[in-house]
Amino acid sequence: MNFTPSRKNVALEELKKPSYDHDLQLYREIPDININLDEFEEWAIERLKVLQILEQLSLKGNTSNYEDFTKSVVQEIKKEGLKHMHKLINGGIYKDYNENCDARKRDLCSHFILRLIYCKSDELRKWFINREIELFKLRWTLLSKSDKLKFLSSNNTNYSAVSEEEHQIMVDSMGSLATAGNNNEYFKVRWTQVLDLVRNRKVYLCDGFAYVIQTDVISGVCQTFRSELSQELVKCFQKFSIISEDERFGAFIKYLHQSYMGKNYSVTENMSTLSINTIDHSSKSFPLCMKRLHVVLRSEHHLKHQARQQYGLFLKGAGLPLEQALVLWRSEFTKKMDADKFDKQYSYNIRHNYGKEGKKVNYTPYSCMKIIMGAVGLDEYHGCPYKHTNSQALKQLLETSNISTQSIQEILNLSQNGHYQIACTKYFEAHNGVSPSCTAINHPNQFFEESQKLKGFIEESNINVVDEV
């Protein structure tokens, strides 16, 4: 991919090559396409949103009925306004050829951009591979039979058609198990490419070939895709340090995986009102990370810097005015120090967060991802309890929240498996008795606002989309 500094019309002749003539790809060739930096960022964010939708819906347990799961994903992608991926997933064809090519171009480029972003660690590579496999499976499921055959042929997948003679051998060997379909419904491939099907005895084996029914072909293709993508991500990481030095997009590819793309919870945008008189009662609607900080502040009358930043900006986003924020922090801290010390060492930082000091930036509260990716030392209470707290301490914390034993165990399991935001969403459901209106919790203030809405305290407010990188 080559980058141009400003937006302009880009010819789509490159996409008329045979390697780009299908909606579904194995992404074996880096596209030689000119795109500008706005497109670079926009397309990466679009694809990341799709992958996050897949993760959130799959972790919520919606995959038992794959047809319903597919419909849920497609609906959510449409709801988010991701029209190009919605088109590709649905297998629709634009009447205008250039529009069709443009959707494929965005798909190809966005995949390779996210490779740059998710190649940096084993954890990120694993997440990206699993999400891309999920996306690939879903898109395969929605392809027509003719498009599936075209894909297998154009990608040299080593699947070949089964002749009538070979099908007859299958019938003679398997009897009624093979007579249900004709030879056009089977493909043969080397058995080493479909090890999971062999393991589960879902194929007929003969002379080193596995005879695979059309609906199971995806297993072997995904195995190939997973292996190739894993190798390419390692290669990408070897070049990452050089690529990330490019001042045009270096910061973007370093930090996109931590970014939040949702409502701006700055106090000027928030319609809620939080005061020092209602904060203790309102803390019942706080997410676990903020509820813990509130309890520690009330009991210890002090929080370290990172905890003050995390909790202070959350309260700001929840609607606590600057004047009352100063009263709150002063009333607690002066139980262990004199007022003069507080004014000299702590009040400046509070005013700074509200945009009244220094560069006078109106700072936004921390998103879940920013909290999750942060570092937490010993005897510190900030961070994400689902990530930064051991299982026993997290269990004790959850037991104080008046939720069922079953819910506690489900949350612990999600936390132990690295699904921190889904664990938070499960806590919301257990605590409030219903699911949030969103697919998953992505921001502590989102948790608070959703919980308060259920209690009838906050009216619906306008949504503003920002990127926090």
Side-chain angles (χ1 to χ4, degrees), residues 37 116 129 138 205 214 279 308 315 324 438 450 459:
L37 293 175
L116 290 174
I129 291 171
L138 184 138
L205 297 175
Q214 187 182 146
I279 191 171
R308 294 198 305 273
L315 293 177
Q324 295 198 30
C438 53
E450 290 275 340
E459 297 295 329

Side-chain angles (χ1 to χ4, degrees), residues 72-270:
S72 297
V73 173
V74 172
Q75 289 172 359
E76 193 67 23
I77 289 173
K78 184 178 181 179
K79 176 182 173 182
E80 289 294 322
L82 306 170
K83 63 178 183 178
H84 293 91
M85 185 57 73
H86 183 262
K87 176 265 161 194
L88 289 174
I89 287 178
N90 273 315
I93 300 296
Y94 287 120
K95 292 181 179 179
D96 184 273
Y97 178 79
N98 281 347
E99 285 189 272
N100 200 48
C101 287
D102 186 52
R104 292 174 181 173
K105 180 177 74 169
R106 296 167 82 103
D107 174 47
L108 285 161
C109 293
S110 64
H111 171 85
F112 281 97
I113 295 169
L114 290 194
R115 281 192 187 185
L116 290 174
I117 295 162
Y118 283 89
C119 72
K120 299 188 290 286
S121 69
D122 288 338
E123 183 180 6
L124 290 176
R125 288 192 288 268
K126 180 180 178 181
W127 185 90
F128 181 64
I129 291 171
N130 287 338
R131 301 293 83 75
E132 284 288 334
I133 293 295
E134 289 174 358
L135 178 59
F136 185 90
K137 285 182 178 178
L138 184 138
R139 293 174 65 181
W140 169 270
T141 301
L142 295 174
L143 287 179
S144 66
K145 180 180 178 180
S146 60
D147 280 336
K148 289 177 180 177
L149 293 171
K150 183 179 179 181
F151 171 85
L152 292 173
S153 174
S154 62
N155 284 281
N156 299 318
T157 57
N158 297 324
Y159 282 86
S160 58
V162 174
S163 67
E164 292 184 7
E165 292 77 12
E166 288 171 323
H167 183 256
Q168 187 58 50
I169 293 174
M170 292 175 61
V171 171
D172 293 341
S173 300
M174 301 171 63
S176 61
L177 293 176
T179 55
N182 57 52
N183 62 294
N184 290 327
E185 294 176 346
Y186 288 89
F187 297 86
K188 69 175 182 179
V189 66
R190 287 291 177 184
W191 70 274
T192 52
Q193 288 189 231
V194 287
L195 294 178
D196 57 335
L197 294 179
V198 174
R199 186 183 304 114
N200 294 316
R201 300 182 179 184
K202 296 183 69 176
V203 293
Y204 171 72
L205 297 175
C206 182
D207 296 332
F209 284 95
Y211 291 77
V212 185
I213 196 165
Q214 187 182 146
T215 52
D216 287 333
V217 168
I218 184 60
S219 175
V221 177
C222 281
Q223 186 172 313
T224 299
F225 184 31
R226 179 183 294 275
S227 176
E228 291 179 359
L229 182 54
S230 178
Q231 294 174 33
E232 291 302 317
L233 285 172
V234 172
K235 293 178 183 178
C236 190
F237 175 64
Q238 294 169 351
K239 301 177 182 178
F240 179 78
S241 59
I242 299 174
I243 297 172
S244 62
E245 291 176 358
D246 192 312
E247 62 181 16
R248 296 173 298 174
F249 52 80
F252 182 80
I253 65 174
K254 284 180 181 177
Y255 301 114
L256 179 64
H257 68 284
Q258 299 181 27
S259 65
Y260 167 69
M261 295 163 283
K263 181 175 179 178
N264 179 358
Y265 288 98
S266 67
V267 70
T268 56
E269 302 291 346
N270 202 303

Side-chain angles (χ1 to χ4, degrees), residues 287-293 310 371-372 376 381-395 397-398 411-412 415-416 420 423-424 427:
L288 203 58
C289 57
M290 301 304 172
K291 184 180 292 186
R292 177 172 62 174
L293 291 175
Q310 180 175 314
I371 293 172
I372 289 168
V376 178
Y381 296 98
H382 65 283
C384 173
Y386 307 106
K387 178 181 180 181
H388 298 117
T389 307
N390 64 53
S391 295
Q392 186 57 39
L394 177 58
K395 183 179 180 182
L397 194 60
L398 290 167
I411 293 169
L412 289 172
S415 175
Q416 290 165 2
Y420 311 120
C424 186
Y427 172 75

Side-chain angles (χ1 to χ4, degrees), residues 47-97:
R47 192 179 195 89
L48 181 55
K49 286 181 178 179
V50 172
L51 299 184
Q52 289 174 340
I53 288 170
L54 278 164
E55 178 188 41
Q56 292 161 3
L57 288 177
S58 62
L59 289 175
K60 289 188 75 173
N62 295 341
T63 57
S64 55
N65 185 320
Y66 198 73
E67 183 177 352
D68 288 345
F69 170 72
T70 299
K71 289 179 180 178
S72 297
V73 173
V74 172
Q75 289 172 359
E76 193 67 23
I77 289 173
K78 184 178 181 179
K79 176 182 173 182
E80 289 294 322
L82 306 170
K83 63 178 183 178
H84 293 91
M85 185 57 73
H86 183 262
K87 176 265 161 194
L88 289 174
I89 287 178
N90 273 315
I93 300 296
Y94 287 120
K95 292 181 179 179
D96 184 273
Y97 178 79

